[in-house]
Amino acid sequence: MSIPIEEQLAVLQARTVDFFSPEELKRKLEAAQREGRSLRIKYGADPSAPDIHLGHVVGLNKLRAFQDCGHTVVFIIGDFTGMIGDPSGRSNTRKPLSREQVQANALSYQEQVFRILDRDKTEVRFNSEWLSPLGFEDVIRLSAHVTVAQMLARDDFSKRYAANQPISLVEFLYPLVQAYDSVVIRADVEIGGTDQLFNLLLGRELQKLMGQEPQIVLTLPLLEGLDGVNKMSKSLGNYIGVAEPAKEIFGKAMSISDDLMWRYFSLVLNRSDKEIQEWREQVADGKLHPRDVKDRLGRELVARFFDAETGEAASQEFRRVFSAGQIPEDIAIFPIPGDFKDEEGRVGVVALLVASGLCASNGEARRLLQQGGVRIQDNKVTDPQYRFIPDDGMIVRAGKRGFVKLAL
RNA sequence: GGUGGGAUAGCGAAGUGGCCAAACGCAUCAGACUGUAAAUCUGACGACUCACGUCUUCGAAGGUUCGAAUCCUUCUCCCACCA
């Protein structure tokens, strides 16, 4: 608890994009230390997508840093907003969630979040607690604090407005609700991605208007997803979830581009800039193989959410399957139904591929065959008419990632 | 309240009577290559049969026509602008 303030500041400031403001934070830290209390760090989560991914980890890492300095994280689950639904987002209208769904999601959320956060220094709150009792009058009073011009100042809104794209009134209300959360929980600090800057600042404003000391706002970079272009998000499907199986985490890590891996080292694994810079130079000089660096990334990511041994195993498994072209360890078993064989006891490849789930349709199975993606016991099969007598334990391989072991 | 625009395959977006299972881009998948589920190149990408062909798709339901994603009617939903 007695970490020097300067040291705390350095850790807390690392990798931030916006920071309002370091001086204020310093004052707050000093005051807290004097009064022997911890700061309240706010973090809001949307309950509609209970998959925590590496994009979230960037923020969670920062929260953890605050906790390690002795502060308290107030983790707000936006169940209220989740139950109302949200017309935002370009296309997909979010469906309102039922109370049960929200509860289930919240549990799953916590289970994942505490892989990073310190449970003892975290206060989990649901914003329906204070938002549900609000009356329409309260809402209007709240809205009176903000003008449309202020709202339109938000990058996302101004762009859409200019492009004649719809903006729902509810979307205007959301930042306000989020700001109000800050007031209710008396946040000292709020953190979020750079896309949250506006909302975070609004919290500051509202706190001031309501006679509170304004929260410190700091934003963190948005982590690019697997495609290397868009930010990591569930809806784009370009994410690595912290609760995914180890080999998925590893495999996905290996699929990112060489350039991108440095970002992951920095933002997810908290590697120092200096260290990363050294590696980069070694790779550029040819002293270090990028594949090995990425392998390390994969191992460390798995180790982060499981343990070092699991990371090592995932790495070896990956080598075996993709580098050496061998069979994975935990291969799925497909028991061949009795009536599947013809009079001579043979089965057709196409039917087998579909029945075992390796292909979604006969057409897809044929295509895969014609493209040379199917192997039975290491023999390439390209003829869709091919029939064979199955043997117990035969391995059928479809593409790079599809494996099935036959059982009679 | 008024005016205009729109709804096409996972997404974006062409197509305005037959040559449309529907261009193109992205995503996805496969192959080659490799350092890997990177990059690059090539190919595939509704279903059934795969050889021809058949069937179901272009917001929904009807209709016109030998023939409709394309024309008409009604309906549903969405958007912008002006009030």
Side-chain angles (χ1 to χ4, degrees):
Chain A
M1 192 58 201
S2 55
I3 300 168
I5 295 219
E6 290 303 329
E7 228 168 90
Q8 289 193 37
L9 268 177
V11 175
L12 299 178
Q13 188 161 11
R15 281 181 269 273
T16 55
V17 178
D18 304 291
F19 198 150
F20 302 99
S21 63
E23 299 74 40
E24 260 179 72
L25 179 59
K26 189 177 176 192
R27 273 208 302 283
K28 281 207 183 219
L29 287 170
E30 284 165 351
Q33 200 165 64
R34 254 198 326 273
E35 297 156 24
R37 64 180 178 94
S38 64
L39 294 181
R40 294 169 68 71
I41 321 301
K42 178 190 168 206
Y43 185 79
D46 156 25
S48 63
D51 281 337
I52 300 274
H53 55 63
L54 299 190
H56 299 116
V57 171
V58 178
L60 295 173
N61 279 340
K62 184 57 71 184
L63 293 177
R64 178 69 202 217
F66 272 98
Q67 289 182 325
D68 290 343
C69 290
H71 304 292
T72 304
V73 165
V74 183
F75 191 84
I76 297 180
I77 294 178
D79 64 331
F80 184 78
T81 35
M83 283 187 288
I84 290 173
D86 176 8
S88 77
R90 324 294 108 107
S91 46
N92 38 349
T93 312
R94 281 192 215 160
K95 290 247 162 29
L97 302 170
S98 71
R99 190 166 286 276
E100 294 74 42
Q101 278 174 305
V102 168
Q103 288 295 338
N105 288 355
L107 274 179
S108 146
Y109 235 120
Q110 293 179 54
E111 188 263 313
Q112 297 175 55
V113 154
F114 289 127
R115 289 174 195 230
I116 294 147
L117 295 185
D118 180 344
R119 197 183 281 265
D120 295 333
K121 291 177 185 162
T122 306
E123 189 180 312
V124 177
R125 302 285 288 272
F126 294 83
N127 68 359
S128 60
E129 183 193 324
W130 54 85
L131 293 176
S132 292
L134 288 186
F136 199 55
E137 190 187 332
D138 302 302
V139 177
I140 291 179
R141 288 235 165 93
L142 212 52
S143 309
H145 292 303
V146 196
T147 69
V148 171
Q150 280 173 322
M151 282 296 171
L152 284 174
R154 191 170 111 167
D155 190 46
D156 174 46
F157 287 152
S158 60
K159 275 190 191 137
R160 278 158 68 192
Y161 189 68
N164 278 357
Q165 277 172 357
I167 302 171
S168 155
L169 202 54
V170 175
E171 292 183 75
F172 272 5
L173 247 27
Y174 267 141
L176 203 56
V177 164
Q178 201 178 320
Y180 183 64
D181 290 346
S182 291
V183 173
V184 173
I185 65 143
R186 301 192 154 266
D188 288 302
V189 179
E190 180 166 12
I191 77 171
T194 49
D195 57 345
Q196 289 290 311
L197 180 62
F198 178 86
N199 297 358
L200 305 183
L201 288 174
L202 194 60
R204 237 171 111 80
E205 289 302 314
L206 203 62
Q207 282 178 310
K208 273 192 237 171
L209 286 166
M210 302 217 165
Q212 284 186 20
E213 199 178 323
Q215 63 184 10
I216 311 292
V217 161
L218 55 91
T219 66
L220 297 160
L222 296 175
L223 184 71
E224 291 81 359
L226 302 176
D227 54 34
V229 180
N230 299 301
K231 74 165 184 178
M232 186 173 281
S233 80
K234 185 172 187 195
S235 55
L236 291 174
N238 60 354
Y239 69 102
I240 300 181
V242 302
E244 289 193 71
K247 72 172 190 183
E248 283 298 311
I249 293 178
F250 190 90
K252 285 183 178 180
M254 290 305 271
S255 82
I256 66 173
S257 73
D258 290 355
D259 288 337
L260 189 60
M261 66 181 171
W262 310 115
R263 295 270 289 169
Y264 283 50
F265 270 114
S266 169
L267 296 173
V268 181
L269 294 172
N270 286 327
R271 289 284 175 179
S272 72
D273 291 347
K274 184 166 156 274
E275 202 167 10
I276 291 170
Q277 191 50 39
E278 277 168 21
W279 287 344
R280 291 188 83 133
E281 281 164 18
Q282 286 176 34
V283 167
D285 294 347
K287 285 181 202 148
L288 199 55
H289 202 297
R291 204 213 90 99
D292 295 334
V293 182
K294 213 184 283 180
D295 180 77
R296 176 171 194 159
L297 174 70
R299 283 200 322 265
E300 291 191 13
L301 284 175
V302 174
R304 179 83 200 270
F305 305 116
F306 293 89
D307 53 63
E309 275 165 51
T310 312
E312 198 52 51
S315 167
Q316 275 166 25
E317 173 82 351
F318 188 87
R319 269 172 213 270
R320 176 165 59 241
V321 177
F322 298 107
S323 303
Q326 291 172 353
I327 304 150
E329 213 129 76
D330 55 340
I331 185 166
I333 309 244
F334 177 64
I336 297 178
D339 57 352
F340 206 67
K341 294 178 252 182
D342 62 16
E343 314 81 61
E344 293 156 65
R346 300 179 306 174
V347 298
V349 243
V350 171
L352 178 68
L353 287 168
V354 174
S356 63
L358 290 172
C359 291
S361 68
N362 290 353
E364 193 181 307
R366 286 204 190 84
R367 204 179 305 135
L368 198 66
L369 283 158
Q370 278 155 9
Q371 293 181 141
V374 178
R375 282 167 193 277
I376 296 173
Q377 288 295 74
D378 259 350
N379 296 312
K380 189 186 276 188
V381 176
T382 52
D383 178 13
Q385 302 298 332
Y386 182 73
R387 303 180 75 81
F388 66 102
I389 296 175
D391 223 344
D392 197 54
M394 265 187 162
I395 305 291
V396 178
R397 181 167 189 166
K400 291 174 206 158
R401 311 220 270 142
F403 294 91
V404 130
K405 185 189 252 180
L406 303 182
L408 292 181

